[in-house]
Amino acid sequence: MDNIAIVVDDLAAAKAFFTELGMELEGEATLEGSLVDRLIRLDGVRTDIAMMRAPDGSGRIELTKYHTPASPGGDQPAPVNALGMHRIMFAVHDIEDVIDRLKPHGAELVGEVVRYEDIHRLAYLRGPAGIIVALAEQIG
């Protein structure tokens, strides 16, 4: 896998959120023109992207802000059981610390922090643009 793309409405907020999770900004670009239009089958595309890399280089997230055409969507975030991409999970060392650091970036707990057997402590958070991020802290 090379990367996962996530469409956001506030690129700066999304970059700050994923930076707080330990990802590093790899690069940014503005994309537009007929090549992009033909690739994604939309007309008049102008978008800004930020490529965020996991610190160990194991994966990347492409954050995408469309200026044109406008992104369809509503004010209500999709529930966790909606069809399509569900969530991204991050392994963390101190789940409460990560939650506390993400709250100023708009993160809200979806449910509760739970303990899965004697293996993990888990939490789901909703971040910028309704992105669902799961956190997993290994126990022991």
Side-chain angles (χ1 to χ4, degrees), residues 23-44:
M23 299 198 79
E24 301 166 354
L25 180 64
E26 184 176 85
E28 297 181 270
T30 298
L31 304 174
E32 58 188 330
S34 66
L35 177 86
V36 178
D37 291 359
R38 291 189 337 263
L39 176 66
I40 63 175
R41 200 175 178 180
L42 290 173
D43 292 325

Side-chain angles (χ1 to χ4, degrees), residues 4-83:
I4 296 168
I6 301 172
V7 176
V8 299
D9 56 352
D10 185 338
L11 189 57
K15 287 189 306 186
F17 181 85
F18 284 102
T19 297
E20 195 64 52
L21 273 167
M23 299 198 79
E24 301 166 354
L25 180 64
E26 184 176 85
E28 297 181 270
T30 298
L31 304 174
E32 58 188 330
S34 66
L35 177 86
V36 178
D37 291 359
R38 291 189 337 263
L39 176 66
I40 63 175
R41 200 175 178 180
L42 290 173
D43 292 325
V45 173
R46 188 170 72 77
T47 182
D48 290 327
I49 65 168
M51 191 64 75
M52 306 294 295
R53 181 183 64 245
D56 64 0
S58 63
R60 299 183 303 169
I61 296 174
E62 177 186 300
L63 301 171
T64 306
K65 163 66 176 157
Y66 281 88
H67 298 285
T68 58
S71 296
D75 293 336
Q76 296 297 332
V80 297
N81 64 342
L83 295 177

